Amino acid sequence: MVSQGALRVVRCGGSALRGARAVFSADSYLLCASGDFVKVYSVNTEETLRLLGGHADLVTGIQLNPHNHMQLYSSSLDGTIKLWDFMDGIPIKTFTVGSKLLALYTPASAEDSVFVVIPKKGERDTFQLVSVKLAKGAGQNLEAKELSVVLDGVGASVKHIAFGREGAYVVSVKDVNLQVYFFKRKLLNRFSLSTVKTKGGDNHFSCVVCHPTEDCIATGHADGKIRLWRNFHHRKEYTYSTLHWHHDIVMDLAFSVEGTRLLSGGVESVLVQWHNESSCQKDFLPRLGSPIEYISMSSDGALCCTLHTDNRITIINSNLRFSRSIQGLIKSRDVKTGLVVDPRTKALVLNGEPGHLQFYSLQSDQQLFSLDIVQRQYIHQAGLQQSDLVKVAFSARGTWLATVEESEEVTDPELQLKLWFYSEEMQSFQLNTRINTPHDNHITDMCFRDMDELGDDSLILVTTGRDCVFKVWVMVEDTDPEAQQSVSWSCDFVGSYHNYQATNCCFSEDGSLLAVSFEETVTVWDSLTWDLKCTFCHPPGNIRNICFGRLTCSKYLIGATDYGFLCCWNLLTCALEWSAHLNIVVLQPDPLSEHIAAVSWLSKESSLFVFKPNEPRPLYIQRNLCKEKILLAAFVPRDEPETISSEKYLWLRKSQLFFLTDTQELMTLSMKSVEERLTPSSKQLAVEESLPVTPFSLLLGKHRHQQAQEDIDLGKPVVHNKQEQASPAVKELLHTPAHVLPSASFLCTIFINSLLISKENKSAEEVADEVEMESEKAEDDSDEEAVTEMEQEDTSHMELLGETTCKLSKSQEKELRKIRKTDYSWISAF
């Protein structure tokens, strides 16, 4: 447990949505395993409604409780099974099994048991299917140690086991072997296919599913074939038929609810629908973007969803029409662009699909949009030399985007530098300039001059390359009258240093200086005249990263070398200020403060150091930041500064630091839990009792607020109707979801009656006083109005002084009226 207010490393995105098959609930929710969490999506809005967090390791299986469809079971590598109320995000029970759980199954026939796949003790890469009896008890944490082995030698994936019609049997596939175990007869039948590859075929099993109403088993294979098995109750009289369309491995299968259709998916990114077990009758939904990992069906058969290898969920209608897509952080093969922050949307920008740039929202853990940079069809075939995106840079305002794409050739790559302008009309980036072969060799780095206050006239771009030069690119007006663009980009200056390869570049905060590293040397140039001002050298080792200090530390230049040295140079004295021997792999300055974050990799451990260049002692050190190696980092400016009490964490006040590991998990340092950060607006409305959640209650609440404000302005005390606030009818009507409310005709009478104020029973004396007051009303009507005004004025003054007014009784008011009618004019004679 982490103490309250302590800094913690949390997984904030990038976790694969394909850890297990997704599950549809009965009320338009989609539940997916994502890293250590279970995410609850709305099928209609694609919004992440809830994040079920509680497991300490990867979630490997999720299944609805067959006896209560408002509850969910989840299994994890941490050895626990959790039962959730996923509507409210509340864990109901935690069952500790004590062994790694690799898959989870909850057939309806098992009343108080579930089935899990666990490693076999004493043997490597050998797994068992066991039945776990869920203990009953009053506590929330229970032990489930009663295990019964059902099958030995099963596969580790959830796709390798399926339960048959009404849970009468269970099927397991591994390698070229198929096992069927019948529970009532306690009979185990084994079937094997030939291991000899014929005509390029591969008989290895890849997945298995069972028909929902018949005794039929469908298996997928590595060669793209689908086999339908029948009569498997007998070892020798079994039969199977073959369906074949996929050219590569069948990654998953799913039967429709009625069993008349079979869905299959694979690396072709095409969903195939087979009708009546016939190869002639099939439909296709192509171009789904990436290989299909899992297929799931809703309980009513109206929807199905596919989980893809690129962290995408595709929701598809029963007529095989695309409905919606939920795209998480795409895990590309290699993030060559680094982590870049879009100044306009505060989104993380990095490699996405091949040749694309993905804009990823940190708040919703979903992709905002994808920009096609290469604009060529990518062919998924090994060995082909294809172009890919390698460098990205934004201008300070985010109006210009520079990209570099190159082919995978090592010796003679094809290079293209593209400049994109953000169009407010199109709400997207439009290509402005394409420069073929901007350098004669690979481009190693590029950056814009961040001088947003001076306008586009001062906007320049610098690129460095292995051709031993750096180039300066500026905007010029296009003189061609037929040109579509008013401006374009061209090279303005070429610089070099002793024929060394240029590796890194960055501008100072005010844009007056440019630092370019040439192998072991850092050069500093005047950005107006492009004169070489000074050089810094700290061998051995090539310069890996460089950055300028900011604000009060703008006179410093920081560099990290391949040999593990972190150096700080003073630009005023042109001398080394200090150095430290650390294997720094990431050097990231905060754009809104003087702080710089450095991540080292020592002894297979990532450590974080946060420092200011003017102080050699770090402000913050975090050893063993995470288990994985951190490759990239980025500071993302906050919308509003965070309120932080501890001085040790003040460097996180204006910006938040994000990391990308070698497994492409996105992590961050936060003082809040992930549940607090990812709470959607709908959940916030539901949690806060005083904030209404329906349009009618919003309107009513606005009216009440305006009325209360008017009363305050008039000096009246705001009095709330206790009966109205405490009315169950009003509360239920305003806070109950519309789809579970009874009819309006039923609620109308109850609702209207709850708003009426009942008459109070008055005593006989009070009634007599009221009659007498009415009889005298005609005589002293004008006097009454004057007194009323005076009393209101006096009351307001008393309230301002913090005093309370005394309320007169009926008899006292009667005496006061008699005194008012007495004639005191005779006093004037004196």
Side-chain angles (χ1 to χ4, degrees), residues 662-733:
D662 54 356
T663 58
Q664 296 194 10
E665 294 280 346
L666 190 63
M667 298 182 177
T668 186
L669 291 170
S670 176
M671 299 181 69
K672 296 180 179 179
S673 64
V674 178
E675 293 83 353
E676 292 174 322
R677 290 187 305 100
L678 291 183
T679 299
S681 58
S682 59
K683 186 175 180 181
Q684 290 173 352
L685 291 176
V687 168
E688 192 171 348
E689 188 66 22
S690 63
L691 194 61
V693 296
T694 63
F696 177 68
S697 63
L698 285 172
L699 180 62
L700 184 60
K702 183 178 180 181
H703 171 71
R704 288 174 178 168
H705 178 73
Q706 291 176 348
Q707 186 66 39
Q709 188 64 38
E710 291 174 2
D711 293 341
I712 293 173
D713 296 339
L714 293 173
K716 299 179 182 178
V718 180
V719 180
H720 298 282
N721 188 346
K722 295 182 180 180
Q723 181 184 3
E724 178 186 327
Q725 287 183 339
S727 171
V730 177
K731 186 176 180 180
E732 289 300 320
L733 179 62

Side-chain angles (χ1 to χ4, degrees), residues 114-151:
V114 296
F115 294 84
V116 294
V117 175
I118 63 173
K120 189 174 183 179
K121 292 183 179 180
E123 298 184 26
R124 293 187 59 185
D125 299 328
T126 305
F127 307 97
Q128 296 175 315
L129 176 69
V130 300
S131 172
V132 180
K133 186 173 183 180
L134 301 180
K136 295 181 179 180
Q140 187 174 1
N141 298 314
L142 303 173
E143 288 193 358
K145 301 296 184 181
E146 192 173 337
L147 308 181
S148 302
V149 178
V150 179
L151 284 175

